[in-house]
C-alpha cells in the first residue's frame, strides 16, 4: 500500500500524520500483546499447580523415608510418577487451550527478573531439600513446612500475574 502523494512505480514516504498514526497503532498493538502475555493463567491451572507443588515435598519425602513410614517406597514412587505425569499432561492442556483462547502462550518471562530468578533457584530447593532433611532427622514437620511454603509461592505467583495483568490492561 502506497502512502503520501502517489506516483506510479515510485515509493513516497508517509506524511507525518500517517507516520504518527502508524506509531500509535504499533504502540497499541504492543500494549495489547503485553496485556495478553501477562494474563493470569487459568484459575484451574493455578489450582493444579498449587496442589502439585504442595504435594511434591510430602510425596518425595515419603519416597526417601524409611520403609515403615506410612507407605512402602514403591508406592511413594508410583504416586510421585502419577502426580508428575498428571501435572505435565494438564500443563500441556492448559498451554494449548490458553494459546487457542488468547493467541499467546502461558509465560513466566513477563514477570520481573527480581521475582522469577529467586523462585527458579528456590523452588527446586523447597521441593526436594525438605525430603532429604526429613530423611536425616525423621521430623515430618519439614515436609509440612515445605508444602505450605510451595503452595504460598504458587498462589503468590498467580496473584503477581493477576496484578501485572491489571496494570497493563
Amino acid at each position: 500500500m502506497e502512502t503520501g502523494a502517489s506516483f506510479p512505480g515510485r515509493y513516497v514516504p508517509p506524511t507525518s500524520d500517517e507516520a504518527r498514526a502508524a506509531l500509535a497503532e504499533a504502540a497499541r498493538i504492543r500494549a495489547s500483546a503485553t496485556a495478553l502475555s501477562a494474563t493470569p493463567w487459568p484459575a484451574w491451572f493455578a489450582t493444579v499447580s498449587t496442589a502439585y507443588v504442595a504435594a511434591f515435598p510430602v510425596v518425595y519425602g515419603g519416597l526417601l523415608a524409611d520403609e515403615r513410614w506410612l507407605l512402602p517406597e514403591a508406592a511413594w514412587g508410583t504416586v510421585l510418577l502419577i502426580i508428575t505425569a498428571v501435572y505435565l499432561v494438564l500443563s500441556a492442556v492448559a498451554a494449548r487451550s490458553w494459546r487457542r483462547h488468547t493467541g499467546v502462550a502461558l509465560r513466566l518471562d513477563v514477570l520481573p527478573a527480581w521475582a522469577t530468578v529467586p523462585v527458579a533457584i528456590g523452588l527446586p530447593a523447597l521441593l526436594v531439600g525438605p525430603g532429604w532433611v526429613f530423611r536425616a532427622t525423621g521430623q515430618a514437620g519439614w515436609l509440612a513446612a515445605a508444602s505450605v511454603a510451595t503452595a504460598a509461592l504458587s498462589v503468590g505467583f498467580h496473584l503477581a500475574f493477576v496484578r501485572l495483568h491489571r496494570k497493563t490492561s
Side-chain angles (χ1 to χ4, degrees):
M1 177 176 156
E2 293 185 42
T3 58
S6 182
F7 297 101
R10 189 170 161 203
Y11 171 77
V12 178
T15 65
S16 59
D17 288 338
E18 290 170 331
R20 276 191 218 94
L23 287 173
E25 179 65 11
R28 187 193 63 75
I29 290 169
R30 187 177 302 116
S32 175
T34 300
L36 272 177
S37 297
T39 299
W41 293 356
W44 70 265
F45 183 67
T47 303
V48 166
S49 295
T50 301
Y52 176 72
V53 297
F56 191 95
V58 175
V59 176
Y60 187 70
L63 181 65
L64 296 176
D66 184 335
E67 283 283 330
R68 296 168 289 166
W69 193 68
L70 301 177
L71 297 171
E73 184 178 312
W76 287 113
T78 302
V79 169
L80 186 62
L81 287 174
I82 289 170
I83 67 170
T84 301
V86 167
Y87 174 75
L88 292 174
V89 167
L90 290 176
S91 177
V93 168
R96 186 176 44 248
S97 147
W98 199 247
R99 185 174 293 125
R100 193 172 49 247
H101 176 71
T102 66
V104 294
L106 293 173
R107 296 174 52 184
L108 287 174
D109 64 329
V110 294
L111 290 176
W114 63 264
T116 55
V117 171
V119 170
I121 295 166
L123 186 60
L126 273 173
L127 291 173
V128 299
W132 289 100
V133 174
F134 169 63
R135 180 182 176 133
T137 65
Q139 296 176 354
W142 289 99
L143 303 177
S147 182
V148 169
T150 55
L153 189 63
S154 177
V155 169
F157 244 67
H158 182 68
L159 293 177
F161 266 98
V162 170
R163 188 169 146 237
L164 182 61
H165 176 64
R166 285 186 183 142
K167 283 171 94 175
T168 57
S169 50

